[in-house]
Amino acid sequence: MFPREFWITKIQEAWKLRSIIWLVGVRRIGKTTLVKSLSEDHKSLLYYDCELKRNRDLIESNVEAFWEERKNQIIILDEIHRLENPSEVLKIAADHYPNIKVIATGSSTLAASKKFKDTLSGRKIVIELRPLIEADLHAFAHNKNIKKNLKINAVLEKRFLYGGMPENYLSDELPEYAFEEWIDSYWSKDIQELYELRSKFAFQKFMELLFIQSGGIFEASKFAADCKVSSPTISNFLHVLEETFVVDVLRPYYKYKNSEIVSAPKVYAFDTGLACYLKGWSSLRNEDLGILWEHFVLNELKAQLQDKADILYWRDKKKREIDFVIKKKRSQTAIAIETKWQAKNFNSDNLRAFRDLHPEGENFLIANDIQETYTKNYDDLKVKFISLRECISQITLASSPISDCN
């Protein structure tokens, strides 16, 4: 077990604001391992796997008695959607036993399960556990399965190809069998339990095609023929993938409908390893690193910001594009972020086009080979060339504390 201190700290900060934490993330992302690791600091932690009938019976036979007997303790309810009425169980804890700290885990949003009712508003904080971020890679650096002499680029390339699910990343060999097993498990344990989808072939075919073009503009009509379903069905499939955290859907940032893209989203696979597997890549070429770095940067932004800001993208009708646009809550300015594996590949033309329409906000170029921050001027356009870690620090410094998610 390797401590993921970034996430442990985020949980501890959340508990200062609410007694109920809803820890979400895809299957096998490490939720159970993470919550069990809290026992190293909290001796009063009690863990209940709700997939086990005896634990469901224990909790549901008398909910008030269950909480009454566990005052001032930390309670982990893993896979809580397996309970008959999980909302009521958590509501009772929040309203009547505020000294009990609770973490409930699941592989989907609350709205994805018909068992959840809108009774937890203002009572919980949602934390999405993401695939391995920079801080996790540092924590795993001394693992026996990671060669001690690997340079940072080699560590990142392994993270790109093996992905960010902890067991896969720590594997000695490319975990192709684990990728296939994850796809089957996702269908049987998440999709069939939560959604009334009939066509396994169409859904899995769509996910495969979507991952192959990960990072691209989504148009439902382009997938319908290959998947042998209608465009509305494709749009529903995308909604399911988003609710179960299997894709990140970025909406466009715009103010001028005549010149900017206003509706078509960009869609990113949650895991670079699974995307590489579905693309048929068993090794990486130099030309593959840029798009995979873009995925890694997005994952880091999502992990760090959670719900404190909207992560969008920008594209105009001349196909000029900005990778990420950060719009903080209650802010009128937009932070523009471009990503490059190497800083020398940056071209300022897209940023110039963006700032001609949206002049207020900082401009960042995040490249893997930048060690120290510096600024370059392109006439009156200022761009900070910055490392991922430093960019995150600057963006999050002015952000508000972690907020409650309804």
Side-chain angles (χ1 to χ4, degrees):
M1 184 182 296
F2 301 92
R4 301 176 73 176
E5 293 295 340
F6 169 85
W7 297 102
I8 292 173
T9 299
K10 193 166 282 291
I11 288 171
Q12 292 170 340
E13 289 175 351
W15 264 330
K16 294 176 184 178
L17 301 175
R18 297 287 186 275
S19 61
I20 307 293
I21 295 174
W22 175 249
L23 182 67
V24 297
V26 298
R27 185 169 296 279
R28 298 184 185 174
I29 205 64
K31 298 186 297 293
T32 300
T33 301
L34 176 64
V35 295
K36 285 185 174 180
S37 73
L38 292 168
S39 63
E40 297 175 7
D41 297 320
H42 303 279
K43 303 303 181 184
S44 59
L45 186 147
L46 299 174
Y47 173 84
Y48 299 92
D49 182 354
C50 295
E51 289 194 330
L52 299 178
K53 184 178 183 302
R54 58 181 170 81
N55 285 334
R56 297 198 298 272
D57 291 343
L58 173 67
I59 297 166
E60 295 177 315
S61 60
N62 191 328
V63 175
E64 290 188 21
F66 175 80
W67 293 123
E68 183 70 31
E69 294 167 4
R70 291 158 181 82
K71 288 182 178 179
N72 301 312
Q73 293 183 314
I74 294 175
I75 307 299
I76 310 300
L77 300 178
D78 208 359
E79 302 295 338
I80 193 174
H81 63 274
R82 296 298 303 274
L83 297 179
E84 188 64 32
N85 193 347
S87 291
E88 187 66 17
V89 170
L90 294 179
K91 183 177 182 295
I92 290 172
D95 291 349
H96 301 288
Y97 301 94
N99 292 327
I100 300 177
K101 295 179 179 179
V102 180
I103 298 181
T105 77
S107 300
S108 65
T109 64
L110 293 175
S113 175
K114 294 179 180 178
K115 294 181 181 180
F116 281 96
K117 302 178 180 66
D118 189 21
T119 58
L120 295 174
S121 178
R123 295 179 172 90
K124 69 184 182 306
I125 285 176
V126 178
I127 297 176
E128 182 190 353
L129 182 61
R130 301 285 307 185
L132 298 178
I133 62 173
E134 270 197 336
D136 296 323
L137 297 182
H138 289 300
F140 286 23
H142 300 294
N143 182 266
K144 62 182 178 64
N145 290 337
I146 301 176
K147 295 178 181 178
K148 297 290 181 68
N149 61 350
L150 280 183
K151 295 182 179 180
I152 183 62
N153 279 7
V155 170
L156 283 173
E157 288 180 31
K158 179 176 182 180
R159 165 64 178 80
F160 294 164
L161 188 61
Y162 285 51
M165 289 185 274
E167 287 187 14
N168 291 352
Y169 176 73
L170 294 172
S171 175
D172 287 320
E173 298 181 357
L174 189 62
E176 294 178 295
Y177 176 76
F179 291 135
E180 200 62 42
E181 186 180 40
W182 186 94
I183 293 170
D184 289 339
S185 178
Y186 172 61
W187 171 263
S188 62
K189 294 187 177 181
D190 289 328
I191 300 306
Q192 289 190 313
E193 283 188 11
L194 295 173
Y195 300 92
E196 297 176 359
L197 299 184
R198 299 177 180 178
S199 176
K200 179 179 180 180
F201 165 80
F203 182 79
Q204 291 191 335
K205 182 66 174 178
F206 170 64
M207 190 177 81
E208 176 185 345
L209 294 174
L210 197 61
F211 274 47
I212 288 172
Q213 71 148 51
S214 183
I217 303 291
F218 173 79
E219 295 181 37
S221 59
K222 291 185 176 181
F223 296 94
D226 287 335
C227 299
K228 297 179 172 42
V229 293
S230 66
S231 291
T233 298
I234 291 294
S235 295
N236 182 53
F237 286 173
L238 179 65
H239 176 70
V240 169
L241 290 170
E242 184 178 18
E243 280 202 327
T244 51
F245 308 102
V246 171
V247 296
D248 293 312
V249 179
L250 272 55
R251 271 72 187 184
Y253 179 86
Y254 69 92
K255 290 183 180 178
Y256 306 98
K257 294 183 178 181
N258 290 335
S259 59
E260 298 175 303
I261 299 299
V262 301
S263 59
K266 282 178 69 175
V267 180
Y268 290 81
F270 83 96
D271 184 58
T272 56
L274 191 55
C276 289
Y277 171 71
L278 292 173
K279 288 173 183 282
W281 296 353
S282 58
S283 61
L284 299 178
R285 305 161 299 173
N286 287 336
E287 54 264 39
D288 301 326
L289 300 177
I291 186 63
L292 295 173
W293 173 248
E294 185 178 323
H295 281 68
F296 186 73
V297 171
L298 175 60
N299 184 64
E300 192 84 19
L301 291 169
K302 287 277 188 177
Q304 297 277 355
L305 293 172
Q306 296 284 321
D307 70 319
K308 292 184 289 187
D310 294 322
I311 303 176
L312 311 164
Y313 83 100
W314 176 83
R315 183 180 175 97
D316 69 9
K317 293 183 179 179
K318 294 182 180 180
K319 299 185 179 181
R320 295 175 295 193
E321 187 173 305
I322 300 297
D323 293 332
F324 308 122
V325 177
I326 308 297
K327 186 71 168 58
K328 293 183 181 179
K329 308 295 185 184
R330 298 178 295 277
S331 173
Q332 298 303 311
T333 62
I335 299 171
I337 295 177
E338 285 279 71
T339 65
K340 298 293 179 185
W341 181 246
Q342 295 180 312
K344 68 180 182 180
N345 295 326
F346 173 70
N347 183 301
S348 65
D349 291 348
N350 291 355
L351 263 178
R352 164 62 63 198
F354 177 72
R355 286 305 178 197
D356 284 345
L357 295 175
H358 312 283
E360 299 297 325
E362 291 188 282
N363 306 306
F364 294 103
L365 182 280
I366 302 177
N368 174 58
D369 58 353
I370 296 174
Q371 302 300 320
E372 295 185 4
T373 302
Y374 59 93
T375 299
K376 293 186 72 172
N377 296 319
Y378 301 86
D379 295 326
D380 61 341
L381 180 70
K382 291 185 177 182
V383 182
K384 282 187 180 180
F385 285 60
I386 197 166
S387 68
L388 175 57
R389 183 181 301 180
E390 182 59 27
C391 186
I392 292 293
S393 177
Q394 292 194 22
I395 290 174
T396 58
L397 188 61
S399 296
S400 59
I402 187 168
S403 59
D404 176 47
C405 296
N406 293 328

